[in-house]
Amino acid sequence: MDQCPHMNILGLEEFDFSPLCDLKLSEGSILLNISQIQELCQQLPANLSLCEWRLTFRTQTHGTSLRTLYKTSSQLDACSVLIIRDSYRQVFGVVCSAPLRVSTAYYGTGQTFVFSFSPHLQVYKWTGGNSFFIKGSVDSLHFGGGRGRYGLWINGDLIRGRSQTCETFDNEVLSSTEDFLINELEVWTLV
């Protein structure tokens, strides 16, 4: 399912709910404070800004296994937010329009976007240049692409990653450096 729940709330998909962002978290994030989450929430599509944020994966709790990330994330068929803090304490991530899973091809929709807090929120939305939103394998997970470059690439060990400018989002490098080490990773499912 590439579409998220609540897509057409009473036909108001074009209405801007951002000022109404009523934040509901299942527990606290160790990567973002409440004001940062609220700021990110205001960038979400209207149909997602009203969702509860449910923590489904945290490396501190679940370890550094991409297989475990897929298993815990697939329990809820919903959109998600993946957040990373690198070894330089830079925080960045991706809002995913579909659940994280192993796939043979790219999937997702133009609601997917990447972001970085450096130190203020910078959001890079879909350019329309291609549809390389999300692709998962047992060895890696990547978001955005084109010409062999990924907006965000995460190795299967959940320790190493890479961020590059890509055609999908026309983003700047999200992390402190193009190649980075993951200090902590969280996945939040929007339900």
Side-chain angles (χ1 to χ4, degrees), residues 106 110 126-133 144-147 149 166-169:
Y106 280 93
W126 181 40
T127 64
N130 64 37
S131 296
F132 300 158
F133 302 114
R147 303 180 197 263
R149 301 173 64 81
C166 75
E167 291 177 14
T168 311
F169 306 115

Side-chain angles (χ1 to χ4, degrees), residues 5-15 17 46-47 50:
H6 323 298
M7 273 305 288
N8 190 1
I9 300 172
L10 302 174
L12 299 175
E13 68 273 28
E14 298 302 317
F15 183 76
F17 283 96
N47 58 300
L50 301 175

Side-chain angles (χ1 to χ4, degrees), residues 47-182:
N47 58 300
L48 297 179
S49 66
L50 301 175
C51 292
E52 175 189 350
W53 288 47
R54 187 172 299 164
L55 183 64
T56 53
F57 181 87
R58 178 181 282 157
T59 51
Q60 188 178 76
T61 304
H62 298 97
T64 57
S65 165
L66 185 56
R67 289 177 195 258
T68 304
L69 186 151
Y70 288 140
K71 183 179 178 184
T72 60
S73 299
S74 67
Q75 293 174 4
L76 297 169
D77 190 18
C79 301
S80 60
V81 181
L82 183 145
I83 308 167
I84 293 171
R85 181 176 57 213
D86 69 16
S87 58
Y88 294 101
R89 305 198 61 74
Q90 175 71 25
V91 176
F92 51 94
V94 59
V95 172
C96 305
S97 61
L100 300 175
R101 59 180 168 82
V102 174
S103 58
T104 56
Y106 280 93
Y107 66 98
T109 70
Q111 288 187 336
T112 301
F113 64 87
V114 295
F115 63 89
S116 177
F117 282 91
S118 60
H120 304 289
L121 178 61
Q122 295 182 13
V123 172
Y124 303 95
K125 296 197 175 183
W126 181 40
T127 64
N130 64 37
S131 296
F132 300 158
F133 302 114
I134 308 165
K135 186 163 187 314
S137 74
V138 295
D139 300 320
S140 66
L141 179 60
H142 43 91
F143 308 93
R147 303 180 197 263
R149 301 173 64 81
Y150 304 110
L152 181 58
W153 174 88
I154 302 168
N155 192 48
D157 62 11
L158 301 184
I159 294 173
R160 295 172 288 135
R162 173 176 283 178
S163 177
Q164 302 166 303
T165 300
C166 75
E167 291 177 14
T168 311
F169 306 115
D170 192 29
N171 57 289
E172 295 179 17
V173 172
L174 303 173
S175 50
S176 303
T177 58
E178 190 172 289
D179 292 308
F180 60 87
L181 296 176
I182 297 171

